[in-house]
Amino acid sequence: MASAVGLFLLGDGQHHLLQQTFAATASSAATADESVRPFRIQVPQEQLDDLRRRIAATRWPDRETVNDTSQGIQLEKVRALVDYWGKDYDWRRAEARLNALPQFITRIDGVDIQFIHVRSKEPHAMPLILTHGWPGSPLEFLKTIGPLTDPVAYGGRAEDAFDVVIPAIPGHGFSGRPTATGWGPDRVARAWDVLMKRLGYSHYVSQGGDHGSVISDALGRLAPPGLLGIHLNMPATVPPELVGPINSGAPAPAGLGADERRAFDALSTFFGRNAAYGAMMVTRPQTIGYSLADSPAGMAAWMYEKFAAWTDSGGEPERVLSRDEMLDDISLYWLTNTGASSSRFYWENNNNNFSAAAQKTAQIKVPVAITVFPGEIYRAPKSWAQRAYPSLDYFHAVDKGGHFAAWEQPQLFSEELREAFRPLRAGLTSH
C-alpha cells in the first residue's frame, strides 16, 4: 500500500488533484487499479476562509409572507444556521473525527471510491456495507460504528458484531465525480460488490436508506454470490395500482386499511407539495448545480429544509441532530463541490423510489429486512411490504426515528440490524 496522503481541495480540480496525488505517492509497480490506499482529509485553510467570506457576503431574500413552511424553509431559521456556520462552526473538528477512522480509497470501474472500513475485534463479525442517501453522506453512520462493531460495549452480544464498510456514492463526498453518464443504482451496486470482494469478504449484507435503499434493492436484484441479504429503512412498497393516484393527487381508493390509507396520504402530500426539489434534480441537476456550487446559503437552505422535513423532530431538526452535525454534512458537500454531481444521481436513477414496480422488488431473491421509522417520508405498511418483497423475512415498526435513521437513532438502528441479520449469520464463511 502507498503511504497515507492528504486530500488538498483546490476548487474544481480537487478530484483530479486527488488522483494525481495518489499517483505520485505510489510506485507504478505497486499501484494497480485494484489497490486499496489509505486516505486522509486535509482541507486547505484558504478554502475555509473563502467559505466564511462567501457567507459574510450573502445576499438574503425578503421574508416569506406566511407563518409556516408552505413557501419553504423560513428565512429566520436559515439565517441563524448560516450565521453560526460563518462565525462559530469548526470544520477541523469534523475533519479530525473522520481522520481518526480507517479511511481508504480504491478505483472501481474508472471512478475513485472513498470509504471508511472498521473491522470488529470479534473474530466472526458479519461484513456489512452501509449506503447513505441525499442530502446525507457517510457522516450519517458515524454514531453507529461503535454499536455495530463492538456490540458488547453497547448492550449487545459479541456474536452480533459487524465489520463495517461505509462508502461515498460516486459524485458524493470524497469519492470521484463521474465524467460520463451511466452511474445509476445498478452500476453502484455492482461497484459495491466489487468493493466488498476486494476487501476480502466472500459473504456480506447490505443496508441503506434513501439512495441507499435503491442501491441495496439493486444489489438484491443482482444477487451476486456472497450477498446474504439486505436491510432497508426506506423500502419501495407502493403497489402498482396506487402509483398513479398518489402522483396525481387523486382521492384514496376505497378498501385501504388504516395504515395503508396513512401511507397513501403521506405520499400524496409528499408528491403534491414537497417533492419539487426532486423534480429539479431529476430533470435539471446541472441547473440547480450552479446555485449549490456558488452559494453556501443556497446549499444550506436546500439541505436544511430536508433535515427539518424528514427527521422525527416535528420540523425542528435540532431536537435530534445538533447544528454541528448538520453543518458537518453541509460542509462536506460544499468543500467537495458535489452539489451538482450528487444531484445527477437523481437524473441517473429517474425512478419512483417508493414504487415496487419501478424498483423491480419482485425480482429480489435474497432475504429482505425492513424497519419502519415513524418520521420517514411514509410508513410502509406490512401488507404492502409483503406484496412488494416476496423474500421478506423481517419487518418491524419502531417508535422513534426518521428518514436519517442511523443519524437520529444510532442505538435503535444498530439493534434493528443485529436483529434483522441474526438469522443470516449461519451463511457466513471465514474471511
Side-chain angles (χ1 to χ4, degrees):
M1 288 187 179
S3 60
V5 296
L7 171 61
F8 298 94
L9 300 179
L10 298 176
D12 292 338
Q14 62 200 36
H15 287 285
H16 177 63
L17 182 58
L18 177 150
Q19 294 160 9
Q20 289 182 322
T21 302
F22 280 116
T25 55
S27 70
S28 58
T31 302
D33 275 351
E34 296 185 2
S35 64
V36 177
R37 292 96 68 194
F39 183 88
R40 185 175 178 81
I41 305 163
Q42 180 61 54
V43 175
Q45 185 60 40
E46 55 263 32
Q47 294 289 340
L48 302 178
D49 294 342
D50 175 71
L51 171 59
R52 288 196 165 186
R53 283 194 297 269
R54 287 171 180 264
I55 289 173
T58 299
R59 184 175 74 164
W60 293 99
D62 54 322
R63 184 189 180 279
E64 63 279 357
T65 57
V66 293
N67 292 320
D68 55 29
T69 60
S70 60
Q71 293 181 352
I73 197 71
Q74 298 100 323
L75 175 64
E76 181 182 9
K77 290 190 174 183
V78 178
R79 288 201 72 155
L81 181 71
V82 173
D83 183 65
Y84 176 79
W85 193 15
K87 295 177 181 177
D88 300 308
Y89 170 76
D90 181 12
W91 164 258
R92 296 299 185 201
R93 179 197 47 78
E95 189 174 83
R97 187 182 184 194
L98 288 168
N99 284 336
L101 297 167
Q103 298 182 96
F104 303 91
I105 194 164
T106 192
R107 196 164 182 83
I108 300 175
D109 199 11
V111 172
D112 283 334
I113 306 297
Q114 187 267 339
F115 61 97
I116 298 164
H117 183 198
V118 182
R119 293 183 183 271
S120 173
K121 65 182 180 180
E122 304 298 340
H124 302 295
M126 172 178 272
L128 164 67
I129 187 166
L130 297 164
T131 309
H132 65 89
W134 182 92
S137 69
L139 291 167
E140 292 180 60
F141 298 109
L142 296 191
K143 292 184 289 187
T144 70
I145 292 174
L148 291 171
T149 61
D150 188 11
V152 173
Y154 294 83
R157 308 181 308 170
E159 54 266 38
D160 288 332
F162 294 90
D163 283 355
V164 174
V165 178
I166 310 173
I169 298 170
H172 298 68
F174 295 110
S175 283
R177 292 178 291 189
T179 57
T181 60
W183 274 96
D186 283 24
R187 191 168 179 181
V188 175
R190 288 192 291 270
W192 279 191
D193 183 63
V194 170
L195 175 61
M196 295 302 281
K197 304 291 175 53
R198 188 171 292 179
L199 295 176
Y201 296 122
S202 59
H203 293 79
Y204 67 96
V205 291
S206 175
Q207 196 287 327
D210 196 87
H211 292 329
S213 285
V214 178
I215 291 166
S216 292
D217 274 345
L219 259 174
R221 292 195 306 272
L222 295 169
L227 178 66
L228 298 176
I230 63 175
H231 177 277
L232 312 169
N233 57 281
M234 194 194 80
T237 68
V238 177
E241 69 274 11
L242 296 182
V243 172
I246 287 172
N247 287 344
S248 67
L256 296 182
D259 56 345
E260 295 172 335
R261 175 61 185 265
R262 180 178 61 192
F264 182 100
D265 290 343
L267 285 168
S268 183
T269 298
F270 173 76
F271 282 109
R273 300 191 62 83
N274 300 323
Y277 79 98
M280 187 68 183
M281 295 164 83
V282 164
T283 61
R284 294 294 185 271
Q286 190 66 21
T287 302
I288 189 60
Y290 299 113
S291 298
L292 299 178
D294 191 60
S295 171
M299 174 173 279
W302 193 248
M303 297 172 66
Y304 179 76
E305 180 182 76
K306 302 312 166 197
F307 300 149
W310 295 348
T311 52
D312 186 23
S313 65
E316 301 291 341
E318 293 81 3
R319 293 175 179 171
V320 293
L321 299 172
S322 70
R323 284 188 302 181
D324 282 343
E325 285 179 314
M326 289 183 281
L327 286 170
D328 289 346
D329 189 60
I330 295 168
S331 297
L332 179 62
Y333 277 83
W334 176 264
L335 294 169
T336 56
N337 193 16
T338 48
S341 58
S342 61
S343 298
R344 290 188 201 111
F345 191 83
Y346 280 79
W347 186 90
E348 291 282 0
N349 182 17
N350 196 21
N351 266 326
N352 184 327
N353 292 339
F354 306 106
S355 164
Q359 298 305 326
K360 304 176 184 176
T361 58
Q363 297 179 20
I364 297 174
K365 303 301 186 226
V366 302
V368 175
I370 292 172
T371 300
V372 178
F373 290 84
E376 184 54 88
I377 293 171
Y378 87 113
R379 302 184 197 181
K382 187 173 185 179
S383 58
W384 290 4
Q386 290 172 324
R387 179 178 169 186
Y389 294 92
S391 57
L392 182 71
D393 71 351
Y394 180 88
F395 182 95
H396 188 213
V398 295
D399 61 0
K400 57 185 176 180
H403 184 71
F404 307 96
W407 210 7
E408 299 174 53
Q409 300 294 337
Q411 179 69 17
L412 177 57
F413 176 87
S414 301
E415 291 169 357
E416 281 297 297
L417 265 59
R418 294 176 199 161
E419 189 71 25
F421 286 134
R422 188 173 293 133
L424 305 184
R425 289 181 179 269
L428 285 175
T429 60
S430 61
H431 57 274

